[in-house]
Amino acid sequence: MTQADRARIFADLHTPGTPLVLYNCWDAGSGSAIEKGGAPALATGSWSVAAAQGYADGEALPLDTLLSIATRITATCNVPVSLDFEGGYAVATDALRANVAQVLQAGVIGINFEDRVVTGEGLHSLETQSDRIQAIRAAADDAGLPLFINARTDLFLQSAPEAHGTHLQEAITRGKAYADAGASGFFVPGLSDPKMITQVCDASALPVNVMCLDVSADTAPLAELGVSRISFGPAPYRAALRALTAQAKQLYGKAG
């Protein structure tokens, strides 16, 4: 199976009402374990990948290290792999295209790409972020790969839940602009209100991705809202580390 085949399979898994569920991995070992559990595809979470290497989130993990991890995951696992690429490790479109070309060489078939200013404050303007998505799409086209660009807006992560309603229209506007720029999916992490999720799904021409941070949650209610993708972000890593700590405490006889 070619990389392009994997990309097409991955895109086809995004179906409103019967969403792709991604239990996020952080390295080749966790990816392989999740694949053995029956996952049809894999996706990394930037927080988890960074934490597993002793780094903070927010592109503190060196790009070369990220690419090495991505390469090991795609070489080890047989299902399509999407990479959380944060802000692309660049702002300018030329540098972004060069970075994306390296990501494609690592064998991944999709990326998360966020609109927050990773090393600054706030979000990129709609126009700037649209230009950046266009640059990524051009880089993928140059490589002959139908890259799944999961365009993420941080509007809801950067605001309190009680203020989410005031950002809903801007999110919908951004989703439409990102679709026009060449995005493949629209990611709204932090949004949890069922009615607002439904509004985003109804307004979006792209498959909508929501994030669930409870690893024991029933995903059926989210599926019923019309989402096409449910991801778990850092939750699987945190759950795995809690289990490891509990096992170590049992071994060494520590209480609490």
Side-chain angles (χ1 to χ4, degrees):
M1 188 183 301
T2 68
Q3 190 176 2
D5 290 335
R6 292 175 188 268
R8 285 186 282 270
I9 289 170
F10 185 75
D12 289 343
L13 291 170
H14 293 71
T15 305
T18 54
L20 169 63
V21 177
L22 294 168
Y23 197 70
N24 299 77
C25 65
W26 52 92
D27 59 13
S30 60
S32 180
I34 293 167
E35 181 185 9
K36 288 177 182 177
L42 296 171
T44 67
S46 66
W47 191 97
S48 307
V49 173
Q53 300 300 317
Y55 289 90
D57 196 18
E59 298 182 2
L61 180 73
L63 178 57
D64 286 348
T65 304
L66 176 64
L67 294 171
S68 176
I69 292 168
T71 300
R72 291 311 309 153
I73 296 172
T74 60
T76 303
C77 301
N78 295 312
V79 295
V81 178
S82 180
L83 179 71
D84 189 344
F85 201 37
E86 299 192 80
Y89 283 73
V91 174
T93 55
D94 287 348
L96 187 57
R97 287 183 65 157
N99 290 349
V100 169
Q102 294 185 77
V103 166
L104 300 181
Q105 290 172 5
V108 304
I109 49 70
I111 60 169
N112 278 4
F113 183 62
E114 61 201 49
D115 58 10
R116 76 180 176 105
V117 181
V118 175
T119 57
E121 296 182 356
L123 307 185
H124 291 292
S125 71
L126 186 149
E127 293 77 16
T128 296
Q129 189 65 2
S130 294
D131 288 344
R132 284 156 47 80
I133 292 171
Q134 288 177 352
I136 292 174
R137 179 55 65 203
D141 288 345
D142 288 347
L145 182 71
L147 180 71
F148 194 101
I149 304 170
N150 198 33
R152 166 179 144 173
T153 184
D154 276 34
L155 279 167
F156 302 110
L157 283 177
Q158 295 197 0
S159 61
E162 57 269 21
H164 284 178
T166 64
H167 300 292
L168 187 62
Q169 188 54 54
E170 182 182 352
I172 290 171
T173 298
R174 281 181 176 262
K176 290 179 178 177
Y178 298 166
D180 290 342
S184 314
F186 186 44
F187 187 18
V188 287
L191 186 63
S192 58
D193 181 88
K195 290 184 179 179
M196 284 189 269
I197 291 173
T198 298
Q199 286 179 270
V200 171
C201 292
D202 288 345
S204 178
L206 299 175
V208 174
N209 179 188
V210 296
M211 184 164 65
C212 177
L213 293 176
D214 180 359
V215 297
S216 63
D218 178 7
T219 58
L222 285 173
E224 292 170 359
L225 300 178
V227 303
S228 299
R229 174 167 166 175
I230 300 169
S231 52
F232 283 80
Y237 176 84
R238 290 170 175 166
L241 268 289
R242 284 195 299 270
L244 188 61
T245 298
Q247 291 161 5
K249 284 181 177 179
Q250 183 177 20
L251 175 65
Y252 297 115
K254 294 182 180 180

